[in-house]
Each structure stands twice: as structure tokens, then as C-alpha cells.
Amino acid sequence: MKNLKPTLLCSMMLPAALSAQERPNILYIMTDQQTANAMSCAGNTDLRTPNMDKLAERGIRFTNAYCSMPLSGPSRGAMFTGYMPGEVGLLENGTPMPDSLHATSLGVLMNKAGYTCAYAGKWHVHTNSLPDKQAFGFENLHGHNDFGLAEAVVSFLQRKKKGQPFFLVASFDNPHNICEYARKQNTPYATIKEPALEDCPGLPSNFAVNPYDATALAFEKKQNHRLYPPHDYTPDDWRRYRNAYYRLVETVDAEIGKIIAELDRQDLWRNTVIIFTSDHGDGCGAHQWNQKTVLYEEVANVPFIVCLPKGKHAGKILPQLINNGVDLMPSICDWAGIHVPGKRQGVSFRPIVENGSVDKQHQPYVVTETSFAQTASTRGWMLRTSQYKYVLYDTGKNREQLYDMETDRGEMRNLAIEKKYADILWQHRELLAEWMKKHPENGKTLFTRFIPNLH
């Protein structure tokens, strides 16, 4: 195992004051429910994403970025508050951001720093759209609706003030329409044509459920047919599901292309930091899972691309561990030259992006937490180190999982049951206990209740 001692958090460092000319524009593009490998630039031949690929060509693509929690509201809450969902009670959709955090939410911070802040699309912390024309520091350009969203963003870019930097968020719903598709409902922001079965993608190599998978997951799936309608899918049904999912990704890619065209027209690449990601992924048939919430790689691992001004380090692929939720606030503040509010523990990824080196360490591990609040309320945590992924659920058999991410990214061999990996398992238990001490829920740590042999 490599050295896993925590490094000094960049969010605790004080940035130097920057002039308006030195501060870059920041464009944050987000999809909803897109798994990390659902891009052709990630080597996926079942879809074509020319616009996401263009971002990857002009920026740095991170292969090991993870959401704070694989559910829209909690994930987005982490992005805009800088806290893990459990720290501030944002563990399920529909929970409002605590009033005490409004004044230090990301949009407010950037607005006070002199940035023109604007938001278009899905908000979901907790209302689907921003509640007012001016809310959380943002001008509300467009509500929760992919139709017209890109056009609203382009319009903003065309009327922006010269000499004043902007922080602009373009937040798309798709490929989230896969939820409606699975329920045989109308897809709100896309039309899906069903092709012949032979034109649908095949099944993933990890389609089978790991025989030593956590039993809590099968139990959760049985609790809510509305969330998990594919519980009785045939392999052919899953192929159609995967086809629909990839077509939805292509749909949102085309919308992103409209924004990229305006960036090209104005040559905004010269002085704009562009970040592309998703709030969480989708099972996409891996382990026969649809939806999110679970800690499978397809769900927790998200696309993450950062384009620096003037194309610095264009086309690089880096392996550093990113938490796209809590690491966002310190990173945006870092580029803007402003202080991060106290008690945020995320780490700015600006240094590794600016350095562009595989050898530059970001942080020794990242954690994703989850809560099946809509079903049986199983809790879970994922701790990812450079080589291994440790997963812990709070109930059921096989509630500990350990996978070698270098040889088993599909998570088919649970090493937690093998004695020869006992030391590695113990190290990851201790790291999760350490993390839980630093991120208490309601002032209480959780490790003594849930982590085996650490009572």
C-alpha cells in the first residue's frame, strides 16, 4: 500500500488577492445521472459524444472522480455548500439547504467576490429549479427543463459584461430521463426510438451479480418497484435499457455542443476555466442495477473534465482522486482568489490541474456516502484509495466489500472475504474510521457502530 497519510487541505490555504483581469471566467457544465464511461472519449464504442470529447481534447480528463453521494439532491448540496451530505442533514432528495448555509453557499461567495453569477437548469437543492429570479447568489437564467437551456446559456454569454468575470452553471437533466424510460413513462426532454434488438448494445462484462455482493442491495431493490422496475428484466430488456441510456447521453451531448459553439465563436477558451461533470452515475445494467444510490463503480464514478485557459495540458488523462462534491467549492474559490469558509474539508483540485502531472498527489483517499432513504434506509460508505475500493453497508451479509481497482474495476471479486487481504481490509477500515471522526453527523461519529472490529 502506498502512503495514505492525509495531506494538508488546500481549502485551509489562504489564496493571494487577484485582480479582475487575473481572475478567469468559470463555466460549470453538469449532466444528471451520467456514469464516467458514458463518453466516447472514455473508450465507449456504444455511443458518440463529440462535444464531451472536445472538452476532453482541450482539457484534462480525470478517471477517478467520485460523487459525494449518488443521489441528485445530496450530491448537488455538497457542491454548493462544501459539506458532505451527512454533515449537514442533506441525505435525501427534497431536503432544503439549511438556512445557516445560504450566506456561505458557492454562488453567494462568488457573487460577493465580484463575479457575475448565473444558473440555468436543474438545481434540486431542494426545489427542482432555483426558487427565485435571484437566489443563492445566482441570476436564474432558465428553470429545470433541458429544452431551451443551452440557448439561455448562449444568450447570457452574448450579453455578459466586458471586464467582469462570470461564474456560469449549465445544469442539464439528461440522461436522467432513463428513470422515466424504465418506468415506461414519457421521457420529458428526449425522444427515444426503439431500434431492432441486434442494434442495441450488448451486456456489460459485469452484468452478473457478484456472489459475495452485499445482500442489503437485493433487499433494497425489492422494496420499491417504482424505483427499480427492471427487477424482472430479461437480458434483452437490459440491452434496450442500455440503448436508451446511451441515446439520452447523446441527446445532452448535442445540447452541450451549442454552448461549445458559442465558446468557439467568442474564443472564450482564452480566459475561462471549464469544468464538466455529473451529479452521479447510473447502474446501466452492471450487476443488473438501474438507477443510483448504490455504491457500484458505475454509479459513484462520474465524468470529470477540466479545461484550463489557453488549452494548458490539453488532452491529458489523470488518475488523481477527486470528490466532485466537496472539492468543488475550494477549487472554484482557489481560481477566484477568495477564502473558503471555515469547516469545509474539501481539497482544491486546481494545483493538480495546473501542474498536469500524474505524479502530483491530490489526496490519499475520497469517500462517497449513501442512504436508501426512499426504501429501507440502508446506509453505506465507499472509501477509494489509489488502488483499492472499500465499501461498507450498515446491515446484511457481505456488508464489507474490497476490490482491486487495477485488476477488477467491474467489482466481481470481493477481496474482503479472503484472508490474504486482511491487512489491506484493516487499513481501509481505519481510514474510514478516521474520515468518520472528521465528518460527524449531528455531532456524532458513526464508526464505532458500523465498522467491524473497531468498536
Side-chain angles (χ1 to χ4, degrees), residues 288-351:
Q288 299 175 48
W289 192 269
N290 75 303
Q291 283 277 351
K292 46 266 187 173
T293 312
V294 74
L295 296 170
Y296 291 142
E297 195 70 0
E298 289 76 11
V299 176
N301 185 209
V302 290
F304 200 80
I305 299 170
V306 183
C307 302
L308 289 173
K310 301 179 182 179
K312 185 179 180 182
H313 304 310
K316 283 204 169 187
I317 301 173
L318 295 182
Q320 284 91 339
L321 299 165
I322 304 284
N323 184 312
N324 82 331
V326 294
D327 289 352
L328 182 69
M329 178 179 282
S331 305
I332 298 294
C333 290
D334 199 350
W335 268 299
I338 60 178
H339 299 307
V340 181
K343 298 183 180 180
R344 272 65 166 189
Q345 300 183 56
V347 186
S348 170
F349 48 77
R350 180 186 177 187

Side-chain angles (χ1 to χ4, degrees), residues 43-292:
N44 192 328
T45 59
D46 290 326
L47 78 172
R48 289 187 66 255
T49 53
N51 297 297
M52 296 174 193
D53 296 355
K54 189 170 187 177
L55 292 174
E57 290 166 5
R58 296 194 176 191
I60 299 173
R61 181 169 66 88
F62 287 87
T63 56
N64 294 320
Y66 293 86
C67 59
S68 291
M69 183 170 160
L71 190 64
S72 289
S75 176
R76 293 158 184 268
M79 294 174 186
F80 292 99
T81 68
Y83 285 101
M84 287 295 292
E87 289 184 280
V88 291
L90 290 174
L91 283 171
E92 56 184 303
N93 286 337
T95 304
M97 183 190 299
D99 291 342
S100 61
L101 299 181
H102 284 212
T104 56
S105 58
L106 185 54
V108 173
L109 293 176
M110 294 294 283
N111 187 280
K112 288 181 177 178
Y115 271 74
T116 298
C117 299
Y119 198 104
K122 187 173 185 178
W123 169 244
H124 215 187
V125 195
H126 64 299
T127 54
N128 283 342
S129 303
L130 280 170
D132 300 300
K133 291 183 179 180
Q134 299 287 335
F136 297 96
F138 293 104
E139 175 191 352
N140 187 356
L141 302 178
H142 189 80
H144 176 209
N145 187 337
D146 281 8
F147 296 137
L149 193 162
E151 288 79 3
V153 169
V154 169
S155 176
F156 170 85
L157 292 173
Q158 292 172 344
R159 64 175 171 82
K160 67 185 185 305
K161 295 180 181 178
K162 291 185 178 180
Q164 184 172 7
F166 62 79
F167 175 41
L168 173 60
V169 181
S171 176
F172 293 92
D173 186 81
N174 268 319
H176 187 279
N177 283 188
I178 195 63
C179 298
E180 286 83 8
Y181 174 87
R183 294 193 289 264
K184 301 188 182 303
Q185 298 171 348
N186 293 327
T187 48
Y189 310 122
T191 299
I192 299 172
K193 295 181 180 179
E194 293 283 1
L197 182 62
E198 56 265 29
D199 292 325
C200 292
L203 300 175
S205 58
N206 60 347
F207 177 68
V209 177
N210 179 345
Y212 292 97
D213 201 1
T215 60
L217 305 183
F219 178 76
E220 288 287 349
K221 188 184 290 188
K222 292 178 181 178
Q223 305 309 303
N224 193 324
H225 184 263
R226 183 178 181 276
L227 284 180
Y228 306 109
H231 77 283
D232 57 356
Y233 267 20
T234 67
D236 289 350
D237 292 331
W238 278 114
R239 289 181 62 189
R240 293 187 179 94
Y241 179 99
R242 286 167 59 79
N243 171 73
Y245 182 75
Y246 290 140
R247 302 296 77 80
L248 290 169
V249 174
E250 291 175 341
T251 297
V252 75
D253 181 81
E255 295 301 307
I256 291 170
K258 298 174 183 177
I259 299 173
I260 291 178
E262 186 63 23
L263 298 177
D264 288 341
R265 194 186 71 80
Q266 296 191 40
D267 193 21
L268 288 172
W269 303 93
R270 292 180 298 104
N271 60 343
T272 304
V273 173
I274 303 165
I275 303 170
F276 169 70
T277 192
S278 190
D279 56 356
H280 54 76
D282 181 86
C284 205
H287 314 288
Q288 299 175 48
W289 192 269
N290 75 303
Q291 283 277 351
K292 46 266 187 173

